[in-house]
Amino acid sequence: MKDDQLPDYLTKQVSRRSLLKGIGLGGAGVLLATSGVGSALALTDQFPDILGKNNSKNKINFYGTHQAGITTEQQNHLYFASLNITTSNKADLISLFKKWTEAAAAMTSGEAIGQPAKNGLLPPDDTGEVAGLSASNLTITFGVGPTFFEKEGKDRFGLLHKKPAELKDLPKFPLDALEERWTGGDICIQACSDDMQVAFHAVRNLVRIARGKAVLHFTQSGFLRSKQSSGKNETPRNLFGFKDGTINPNLKDKQELNEQVWVQRGDGPNWLIGGSYLVVRRIQMFIEVWDRTTLKDQEETFGRHRDSGAPLSKKNEFDQVDLEEKNENGQYVIPKTSHVRVAHGKGKEQILRRAYSYADGMDLKTGTFDAGLFFMSYQRKPSKQFVPMQQRLAQMDKLNEYIVHKGSAVFACLPGVKKGGFIGETLF
Ligand code: HEM
């Protein structure tokens, strides 16, 4: 097909690529061919977003001390994948991580992966569905699970001696109803973006690159309110209608993040310094049951007001939670079994919550929505942070009447990488 037969949106993309690859060097698409370099530069002013000029605004650098997507302000959408490795060859894995690094750096910069498609007899390197779209704050975060090192008692890649003690399956918690199809995995890829198509494209292309070396185990898409629908950057609400994410470590406080989120020297093997542990729980929420529950019960379940997000008896979302306050009957205002009280405990543990809502059609067993929270938290030591918290919650959280944990996984998210290096290089 010639350019002039292509739909308008495609010819614009051809032009964008040509512009980016070298203005005036003969790689001209339709716009350039008809308007010349001077006019093309004027065009970048006219259509800055289409032509990539404003891209830096919504690009998050892939390279850095830590991987992006952990302490990055949460984007609107998540596409998460857990993969199982099929190769038994360590060199294959290294080559895969190198290719992933290159592709992830390109995609988070808003660029297509590989080479521009020229040979009509070959499938293009990039699957193409984000041509013309900006990077949309895409972050791609990689992690390795316990089975990356050891499966069925076998040291798979001669790396077992490097497995951190913290990287192990979570203990079984009371009320867990885990299903294999949403549990575990050798590798995880968390793609977050303000555009779902961009997030999906990222995982799709990384999985495609992994062909012959790793396969999908499970995937999960997730969402939060978008910045278009609420420009105020308020705390997002979960599917029970409550603000979720109020109490979290301060993303700007380096010291706090070093204490709570980033693995430090001495915590375990050195290859993970600057990385973090990700705990994933696929939690189904019985939204139909919740919707028949009175507002008072709902608020007592969380210990917060629904509309304002304020702790019970307080006015504003960020007012101090007073766990000692009692009502005229001598009972705690924030009930003993309320989610925030039980999660808080004695205030010893903190985690960085980075959860997304999900809605996956119907639960075929019950005919209800299969919807809930794809809970993700980052922490420096799961055994000292997530585990004690979840042990308390599983025993006495009033929220348990309305939720069930169906999936679980834990990953060591690798440290960040410098340009020229590759993700996971400290491990290999
Ligand atoms: C579907 C399941 C869950 C829902 C709907 C939910 C919802 C909420 C809500 C609405 C709040 C209050 C606002 C806030 O501070 O963000 C909250 C607080 C919190 N949640 Fe959850 N949550 C769930 C599961 C979990 C799990 C599995 C954990 C960890 C094991 C957890 C840990 C926390 C913590 C640490 C807080 C802050 C407590 C404090 O005030 O100190 N949540 N959650």
Side-chain angles (χ1 to χ4, degrees), residues 51-348:
L51 299 172
K53 198 179 168 191
N54 277 357
N55 260 2
S56 59
K57 271 194 195 156
N58 51 19
K59 264 191 222 170
I60 297 171
N61 197 352
F62 177 73
Y63 297 105
T65 316
H66 308 293
Q67 284 198 83
I70 299 175
T71 55
T72 308
E73 190 190 327
Q74 255 186 297
Q75 302 92 324
N76 300 338
H77 297 281
L78 161 79
Y79 201 84
F80 183 90
S82 159
L83 292 97
N84 283 334
I85 300 166
T86 50
T87 179
S88 48
N89 185 337
K90 185 172 155 195
D92 274 356
L93 269 191
I94 296 175
S95 131
L96 174 61
F97 276 81
K98 283 185 177 165
K99 284 184 185 156
W100 272 352
T101 305
E102 207 179 303
M107 291 189 285
T108 50
S109 306
E111 287 163 20
I113 62 165
Q115 297 304 312
K118 281 193 186 130
N119 185 344
L121 299 175
L122 291 174
D125 285 349
D126 190 289
T127 55
E129 71 271 34
V130 296
L133 304 187
S134 77
S136 310
N137 287 322
L138 174 69
T139 55
I140 302 173
T141 316
F142 297 94
V144 293
T147 48
F148 177 94
F149 296 87
E150 185 181 20
K151 212 167 200 168
E152 288 149 14
K154 215 172 139 198
D155 179 0
R156 301 175 80 181
F157 304 104
L159 294 171
L160 188 54
H161 62 288
K162 293 196 170 179
K163 184 176 169 213
E166 283 284 336
L167 186 64
K168 55 180 181 210
D169 286 342
L170 297 171
K172 186 171 167 19
F173 300 104
L175 305 179
D176 270 1
L178 305 185
E179 296 183 20
E180 204 271 326
R181 61 182 167 145
W182 288 311
T183 297
D186 301 341
I187 298 177
C188 76
I189 306 174
Q190 173 202 276
C192 296
S193 164
D194 289 329
D195 186 289
M196 188 58 193
Q197 187 145 325
V198 170
F200 178 75
H201 167 266
V203 174
R204 173 187 181 185
N205 280 272
L206 295 170
V207 170
R208 187 170 177 238
I209 291 171
R211 202 175 132 87
K213 294 170 188 146
V215 292
L216 282 177
H217 173 48
F218 71 84
T219 64
Q220 182 66 58
S221 58
F223 57 90
L224 297 176
R225 49 87 184 107
S226 71
K227 283 156 195 138
Q228 293 94 304
S229 55
S230 164
K232 291 192 207 146
N233 203 17
E234 287 173 347
T235 310
R237 291 179 187 272
N238 60 36
L239 296 182
F240 284 161
F242 279 68
K243 293 190 177 188
D244 196 334
T246 307
I247 302 289
N248 238 352
N250 180 352
L251 298 180
K252 299 212 167 82
D253 186 335
K254 273 193 175 173
Q255 196 188 328
E256 193 176 0
L257 296 177
N258 282 337
E259 280 165 17
Q260 306 296 343
V261 178
W262 304 123
V263 172
Q264 304 292 311
R265 184 172 299 280
D267 285 350
N270 285 348
W271 65 264
L272 194 57
I273 296 170
S276 186
Y277 291 94
L278 166 64
V279 168
V280 171
R281 305 285 286 182
R282 188 184 195 273
I283 309 176
Q284 187 174 351
M285 291 162 51
F286 305 131
I287 54 179
E288 291 88 347
V289 180
W290 183 258
D291 297 345
R292 295 194 293 267
T293 304
T294 63
L295 178 61
K296 185 169 178 288
D297 267 6
Q298 293 187 353
E299 295 191 329
E300 287 182 348
T301 300
F302 282 115
R304 284 185 174 266
H305 290 294
R306 188 176 95 145
D307 282 358
S308 60
L312 291 183
S313 92
K314 300 278 162 52
K315 276 216 169 97
N316 302 309
E317 180 186 357
F318 294 100
D319 285 350
Q320 187 84 28
V321 181
D322 181 357
L323 293 175
E324 298 309 319
E325 192 185 353
K326 294 201 173 154
N327 61 21
E328 58 282 8
N329 303 325
Q331 282 160 341
Y332 285 122
V333 169
I334 301 197
K336 273 192 161 173
T337 56
S338 66
H339 181 70
V340 297
R341 178 186 284 277
V342 181
H344 184 83
K346 295 199 166 80
K348 275 199 211 147

Side-chain angles (χ1 to χ4, degrees), residues 327-384:
N327 61 21
E328 58 282 8
N329 303 325
Q331 282 160 341
Y332 285 122
V333 169
I334 301 197
K336 273 192 161 173
T337 56
S338 66
H339 181 70
V340 297
R341 178 186 284 277
V342 181
H344 184 83
K346 295 199 166 80
K348 275 199 211 147
E349 309 91 13
Q350 280 188 49
I351 53 176
L352 173 61
R353 289 177 291 143
R354 207 176 191 281
Y356 284 84
S357 293
Y358 78 83
D360 275 358
M362 209 170 89
D363 181 332
L364 293 176
K365 281 191 201 142
T366 55
T368 55
F369 285 106
D370 178 8
L373 193 72
F374 195 66
F375 175 93
M376 294 192 290
S377 69
Y378 284 94
Q379 50 266 297
R380 181 176 161 192
K381 288 184 183 165
S383 70
K384 300 255 166 5

